[in-house]
Amino acid sequence: MFDEPAPRGPAAASLQVPLAERLRPRHLDDVVGQRHLLGPGKPLRVAFETRRLHSMLFWGPPGVGKTTLARLMADAFDADFLPLSAVLAGVKDIRDAVAQAQAAQQRGRATIVFVDEVHRFNKSQQDAFLPHVESGLFTFIGATTENPSFEVNSALLSRAVVYVLEPLDAQDLQTLMQRALPGSGVHTIAEAAQQRLIRHADGDARRLLGALELALHAAQRAGQSELSAELLEQALGATLLRFDKGGEQTYDLISALHKSVRGSDVDAALYWFARMLEGGADPRYLARRLIRMAVEDVGLADPKALTLALEAAQTYERLGSPEGELALAQAVVYLAVTPKSNAVYVAYNAARAFAREHGTQPVPLHLRNAPTRLMKNLGYGKGYRYAHDEPDAFAAGETYFPQGMEPPRFYQPTSRGVEERIARRLHELAQRNAQAALSAQAAEGDSVPPAEAGG
């Protein structure tokens, strides 16, 4: 389940070996979690049982068994296992792995090249594996905590099956706790301590066992046969929720926050907001995203939402953490409960698409600026009606689109919040424009000489 080579022989039983190493699975049935891949009839179980070795990518958070599964596969297929860490390895290490695989092939042995954190390899480094995967020199297994769609070259991605590994659930973590107790001198773990460990682990087996090992040592020193919640707190310290700044989970969490605000679920919005802050997200990043939510999902249904979001961001800059975070939380609540409209967002995108489709249309002469005599002589600005000189500051019947263009309708206000009033105003103006057009047509008809009008 963990990411370093497991010691063999007597050393494995030594208490000097970290608990995570002592509990590393040696057989497939010992693996905890990943039932969607390892249960009866599931993909990896079938691959083990049918001995169908193939290149693959393990994608999942830390401490869920990516390296362990690769090692178990090497054992099951009696293959040489060559691990590389993309954090430390370079082109020379890749060449060395290729040479070792070639030597193993000459001895009649298969090779698995395992690359941890494969997303940290650049394109040329990832490309270096392709010809050898193609030729069958070795089987490639990569492990990544990042979305391989974005971080792994498409050529390599097309040659490997992606298996998504999930965080361990509470039942899985409790199973690991029970496996850790024999030989520790501690017989039981209090229910409150178990729940605290589960929260601390946040789905990461390695993290769970690292914390549990510290707590078991503390219980031994205190002569306690039960690990209590109080003793655990002393050994554990503060919990850090998983949050990978700039990584896949960043976008998952902010997406959950944004969708909760859009869906007007104030409690869910506060939960995801708190999750990100507790996990180490930059409050300034959250402030920028709240401003985006105000303009994209609230818009003119409540124009005050943008003002409040901007003021919350400014308040945070003045106060800093943790006081300033309360202003951001206030913005989260307001954005979640206020009426929603994406009418401006939709209208803006429609206008951009329309402008691209219709190319560069000339500006009508009456709308052009005429700062010089030449421009005036050419008719620039001629016939323009200054709206403020018209009744209600509205030049009914005036046209503002290019000549001959059928006026499109981009902005469709909702019936929510302030946009309800905007919709009524637009309807009123449209009626006045229609009336002005009818009046213009009637006046034009009256100006036609009778003989011509009669045909």
Side-chain angles (χ1 to χ4, degrees):
M1 298 284 301
F2 313 99
D3 289 348
E4 294 299 328
R8 305 295 179 179
S14 171
L15 292 181
Q16 298 302 314
V17 177
L19 179 60
E21 286 299 329
R22 299 201 301 273
L23 293 185
R24 183 189 289 275
R26 300 299 191 266
H27 304 283
L28 189 62
D29 290 336
D30 296 333
V31 175
V32 174
Q34 313 312 326
R35 288 177 286 276
H36 64 295
L37 296 177
L38 298 174
K42 299 302 181 180
L44 279 181
R45 170 71 65 172
V46 171
F48 273 88
E49 291 175 348
T50 60
R51 299 183 61 80
R52 295 180 61 184
L53 190 58
H54 57 277
S55 293
M56 61 192 76
L57 285 167
F58 293 144
W59 172 28
V64 296
K66 297 186 290 294
T67 302
T68 289
L69 285 175
R71 288 186 171 277
L72 289 175
M73 190 159 286
D75 290 343
F77 291 91
D78 192 26
D80 287 0
F81 186 77
L82 302 181
L84 293 175
S85 170
V87 177
L88 303 174
V91 175
K92 180 181 182 301
D93 301 284
I94 297 175
R95 290 197 189 106
D96 290 344
V98 170
Q100 292 181 58
Q102 289 171 335
Q105 189 180 56
Q106 292 174 358
R107 300 194 308 271
R109 290 184 58 81
T111 300
I112 290 177
V113 174
F114 174 74
V115 181
D116 195 16
E117 302 291 333
V118 66
H119 60 275
R120 294 182 181 271
F121 270 156
N122 60 35
K123 183 180 185 302
S124 62
Q125 289 171 317
Q126 292 184 26
D127 284 345
F129 293 103
L130 291 176
H132 308 296
V133 173
E134 288 278 5
S135 69
L137 175 63
F138 55 71
T139 299
F140 174 86
I141 301 180
T144 178
T145 56
E146 302 293 334
N147 190 331
S149 299
F150 305 131
E151 305 295 341
V152 178
N153 290 354
S154 58
L156 186 57
L157 193 61
S158 68
R159 291 163 173 79
V161 178
V162 177
Y163 295 109
V164 181
L165 276 66
E166 298 175 349
L168 273 64
D169 61 24
Q171 179 183 341
D172 297 330
L173 296 172
Q174 286 175 328
T175 298
L176 288 176
M177 289 184 221
Q178 296 306 312
R179 289 185 183 180
L181 292 182
S184 68
V186 175
H187 300 146
T188 58
I189 304 174
E191 178 63 25
Q194 290 188 42
Q195 296 306 313
R196 179 69 173 90
L197 280 166
I198 290 170
R199 291 196 303 272
H200 174 82
D202 195 26
D204 183 331
R206 188 189 303 107
R207 192 176 191 189
L208 171 84
L209 295 176
L212 181 58
E213 185 169 27
L214 292 175
L216 292 176
H217 287 323
Q220 289 173 351
R221 289 193 298 272
Q224 296 185 9
S225 61
E226 179 181 74
L227 177 58
S228 65
E230 293 77 17
L231 190 59
L232 176 64
E233 286 296 335
Q234 296 174 17
L236 193 57
T239 295
L240 285 177
L241 296 176
R242 187 188 300 119
F243 179 82
D244 55 335
K245 295 182 182 179
E248 173 75 11
Q249 196 169 41
T250 300
Y251 303 112
D252 288 345
L253 290 171
I254 197 62
S255 176
L257 171 58
H258 197 149
K259 288 179 172 65
S260 299
V261 167
R262 180 183 295 149
S264 300
D265 191 326
V266 62
D267 296 315
L270 280 172
Y271 166 74
W272 294 115
F273 174 74
R275 270 279 304 271
M276 295 190 75
L277 283 180
E278 291 298 314
D282 184 353
R284 293 177 181 84
Y285 168 73
L286 291 171
R288 292 193 298 271
R289 294 301 301 234
L290 291 174
I291 294 169
R292 169 65 187 261
M293 295 174 206
V295 295
E296 179 181 338
D297 291 292
V298 178
L300 292 179
D302 183 358
K304 291 184 299 208
L306 177 57
T307 301
L308 190 143
L310 288 167
E311 289 176 347
Q314 293 171 354
T315 301
Y316 178 81
E317 293 296 338
R318 290 289 185 91
L319 295 180
S321 295
E323 293 86 354
E325 292 164 4
L326 183 59
L328 299 180
Q330 179 174 294
V332 169
V333 171
Y334 189 92
L335 293 175
V337 301
T338 200
K340 305 296 189 300
S341 171
N342 71 339
V344 172
Y345 179 71
V346 171
Y348 169 63
N349 288 330
R352 290 184 65 191
F354 186 87
R356 287 193 298 267
E357 180 183 350
H358 288 79
T360 304
Q361 299 289 332
V363 177
L365 287 176
H366 71 285
L367 295 182
R368 298 187 188 187
N369 189 29
T372 69
R373 182 180 300 273
L374 174 62
M375 291 177 174
K376 290 178 181 177
N377 291 338
L378 291 173
Y380 283 29
K382 184 179 180 179
Y384 170 66
R385 296 164 57 192
Y386 187 58
H388 292 287
D389 291 339
E390 305 270 349
D392 196 27
F394 178 64
E398 180 68 290
T399 58
Y400 297 96
F401 275 97
Q403 187 174 4
M405 178 180 287
E406 186 69 24
R409 180 80 180 275
F410 300 128
Y411 178 50
Q412 303 280 353
T414 68
S415 59
R416 298 182 290 276
V418 174
E419 280 198 327
E420 183 180 11
R421 300 200 300 273
I422 294 174
R424 289 200 301 268
R425 173 65 172 166
L426 290 177
H427 179 68
E428 175 195 340
L429 297 178
Q431 287 183 319
R432 290 174 62 179
N433 275 330
Q435 184 60 47
L438 290 174
S439 299
Q441 289 175 5
E444 185 178 342
D446 290 343
S447 67
V448 177
E452 185 177 334

